[in-house]
């Protein structure tokens, strides 16, 4: 859904009005309410300022970007120097310590990508998935371990620059090989000194429960992406996204477990429809964990 600046600001104003109650400032774990900017990528290139101001008006104070050089929908941001872009966001009331990067950027342009993040002021660099984009189904556990090796090498360099590498759990990461979950195999191979994890809550639809994983790997997580949904047989997936707090996810349990997992930041990411993001803020403001 392509949103206009006016529409987004109207939604943001409505969300702010709903949230303006005496008990509205609990905020789970006392963390800033953040959002991933991928859901609003279609207006990033056409109205970056309006889109960012709309997010702030909705109540988001932190964002996670995608690399302007690795994600085409963010390519217009290449015109800014990293520090210039960071300062712009701050002037609009938004902080940004994290971004998603393409594997090629991390493994083939390692120094250049780390230098960009460092100049920007980021402390996290995430990759959405490791391994083949289109799995052939013939991969072995030894292949999985080989996919992890370049990420560990990148993470070591990032760590030396004061930046933490994050592995997100989508795509091939969520596959099962020889009866073992690729995700768990990768976690075992990742260097815990240099690498942290970012949990995609929507993978619960595939059997990956956030509460279970936060307890299974305490202290290994740093971040998470938040989605909520209801069952909908009319959709291809069988699920339909809804604003945070209006679906099936037990957010009180998720955030309580996130504390055990080590989560220090979270980002709402409802890419099926960015209009779902502003209405998510009032629930989060009132959620006391």
């Amino acid at each position: 859904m392509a949103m206009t600046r006016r529409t987004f600001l109207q939604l943001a104003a409505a969300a702010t009005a709903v949230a303006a109650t005496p008990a509205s400032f609990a905020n789970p774990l006392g963390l800033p309410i953040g959002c991933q900017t991928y859901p609003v990528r279609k207006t990033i290139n056409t109205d970056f300022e309006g889109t960012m101001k709309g997010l702030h008006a909705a109540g988001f104070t932190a964002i996670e970007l995608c690399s302007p050089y690795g994600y085409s929908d963010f390519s217009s941001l290449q015109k800014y120097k990293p520090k210039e872009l960071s300062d712009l966001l701050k002037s609009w009331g938004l902080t940004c310590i994290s971004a998603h990067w393409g594997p090629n950027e991390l493994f083939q342009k390692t120094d250049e990508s780390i230098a960009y993040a460092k100049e920007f002021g980021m402390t996290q660099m995430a990759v959405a998935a490791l391994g083949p984009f289109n799995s052939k189904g013939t991969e072995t556990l030894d292949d999985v371990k080989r996919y992890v090796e370049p990420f560990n090498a990148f993470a070591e360099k990032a760590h030396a620059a004061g930046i933490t590498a994050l592995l997100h759990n989508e795509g091939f990461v969520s596959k099962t090989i020889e009866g073992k979950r690729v995700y768990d195999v990768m976690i075992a191979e990742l260097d815990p000194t240099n690498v942290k994890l970012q949990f995609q809550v929507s993978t619960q639809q595939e059997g990956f429960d956030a509460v279970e994983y936060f307890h299974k790997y305490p202290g290994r997580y740093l971040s998470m992406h938040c989605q909520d949904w209801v069952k909908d047989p009319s959709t291809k997936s069988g699920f339909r996204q809804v604003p945070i707090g209006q679906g099936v996810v037990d957010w009180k349990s998720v955030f309580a477990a996130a504390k055990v997992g080590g989560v220090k930041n979270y980002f709402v990411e409802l890419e099926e429809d960015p209009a779902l993001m502003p209405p998510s803020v009032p629930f989060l403001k009132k959620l006391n964990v």
Side-chain angles (χ1 to χ4, degrees), residues 4-76:
T4 65
R5 177 181 180 181
R6 181 179 180 183
T7 301
F8 206 103
L9 288 171
Q10 288 173 337
L11 287 166
T16 302
V18 171
T21 64
S24 67
F25 300 102
N27 293 11
L29 308 186
L31 299 174
I33 297 177
C35 71
Q36 228 295 342
T37 50
Y38 190 76
V40 294
R41 62 193 181 281
K42 296 305 179 186
T43 55
I44 291 286
N45 281 342
T46 57
D47 185 11
F48 179 54
E49 179 178 356
T51 302
M52 295 300 102
K53 286 184 175 179
L55 291 175
H56 180 259
F60 294 107
T61 59
I63 65 166
E64 183 178 55
L65 283 174
C66 294
S67 166
Y69 297 93
Y71 287 74
S72 60
D73 289 314
F74 292 75
S75 61
S76 64

Side-chain angles (χ1 to χ4, degrees), residues 18-21 23-28 281-288:
V18 171
T21 64
S24 67
F25 300 102
N27 293 11
V281 174
F283 173 80
L284 290 167
K285 283 192 171 182
K286 296 176 182 178
L287 181 61
N288 191 6

Side-chain angles (χ1 to χ4, degrees), residues 151-152 155 164-167 190-197 220:
F151 193 64
N152 274 332
T164 301
L166 296 179
L167 175 64
L190 291 169
D191 182 350
T193 301
N194 302 327
V195 180
K196 294 290 186 179
L197 306 170
R220 295 291 299 273

Side-chain angles (χ1 to χ4, degrees), residues 8-285:
F8 206 103
L9 288 171
Q10 288 173 337
L11 287 166
T16 302
V18 171
T21 64
S24 67
F25 300 102
N27 293 11
L29 308 186
L31 299 174
I33 297 177
C35 71
Q36 228 295 342
T37 50
Y38 190 76
V40 294
R41 62 193 181 281
K42 296 305 179 186
T43 55
I44 291 286
N45 281 342
T46 57
D47 185 11
F48 179 54
E49 179 178 356
T51 302
M52 295 300 102
K53 286 184 175 179
L55 291 175
H56 180 259
F60 294 107
T61 59
I63 65 166
E64 183 178 55
L65 283 174
C66 294
S67 166
Y69 297 93
Y71 287 74
S72 60
D73 289 314
F74 292 75
S75 61
S76 64
L77 303 186
Q78 293 178 18
K79 65 185 177 183
Y80 302 110
K81 299 288 187 182
K83 180 66 163 56
E84 180 186 6
L85 180 55
S86 178
D87 288 343
L88 261 181
L89 292 170
K90 289 176 184 175
S91 73
W92 299 329
L94 298 167
T95 60
C96 179
I97 63 168
S98 185
H100 270 230
W101 303 74
N104 289 344
E105 293 183 282
L106 302 186
F107 306 149
Q108 298 175 18
K109 299 181 179 179
T110 303
D111 294 338
E112 182 181 338
S113 298
I114 291 174
Y116 182 101
K118 186 73 174 177
E119 183 182 339
F120 187 101
M122 294 181 188
T123 57
Q124 300 175 184
M125 296 178 72
V127 67
L130 293 176
F133 184 77
N134 292 309
S135 173
K136 296 179 181 179
T138 57
E139 294 84 6
T140 67
L141 291 178
D142 285 338
D143 290 329
V144 173
K145 295 175 182 179
R146 282 194 289 271
Y147 298 144
V148 172
E149 289 174 4
F151 193 64
N152 274 332
F154 156 74
E156 185 175 2
K157 283 193 170 185
H159 181 77
I163 296 172
T164 301
L166 296 179
L167 175 64
H168 193 71
N169 57 313
E170 288 192 274
F172 183 75
V173 178
S174 296
K175 298 291 184 181
T176 298
I177 294 177
E178 299 174 24
K180 294 185 178 181
R181 284 181 168 177
V182 169
Y183 188 41
D184 292 87
V185 175
M186 286 187 172
I187 291 175
E189 295 295 319
L190 291 169
D191 182 350
T193 301
N194 302 327
V195 180
K196 294 290 186 179
L197 306 170
Q198 182 181 65
F199 197 88
Q200 174 86 350
V201 174
S202 64
T203 57
Q204 181 177 318
Q205 298 168 7
E206 303 170 63
F208 292 81
D209 183 77
V211 174
E212 174 190 340
Y213 271 88
F214 290 151
H215 282 280
K216 187 175 183 179
Y217 299 105
R220 295 291 299 273
Y221 288 86
L222 186 59
S223 182
M224 68 176 171
H225 280 186
C226 300
Q227 299 85 17
D228 211 340
W229 60 91
V230 293
K231 291 185 177 181
D232 186 345
S234 70
T235 66
K236 183 178 179 180
S237 67
F239 304 98
R240 174 172 50 82
Q241 288 185 348
V242 295
I244 303 299
Q246 296 182 27
V248 302
V249 178
D250 180 353
W251 288 105
K252 195 173 184 68
S253 296
V254 168
F255 275 102
K259 187 184 300 185
V260 177
V263 169
K264 297 295 188 295
N265 47 79
Y266 68 92
F267 305 99
V268 174
E269 185 188 39
L270 295 163
E271 61 185 85
E272 287 181 10
D273 184 352
L276 301 174
M277 300 219 293
S280 300
V281 174
F283 173 80
L284 290 167
K285 283 192 171 182

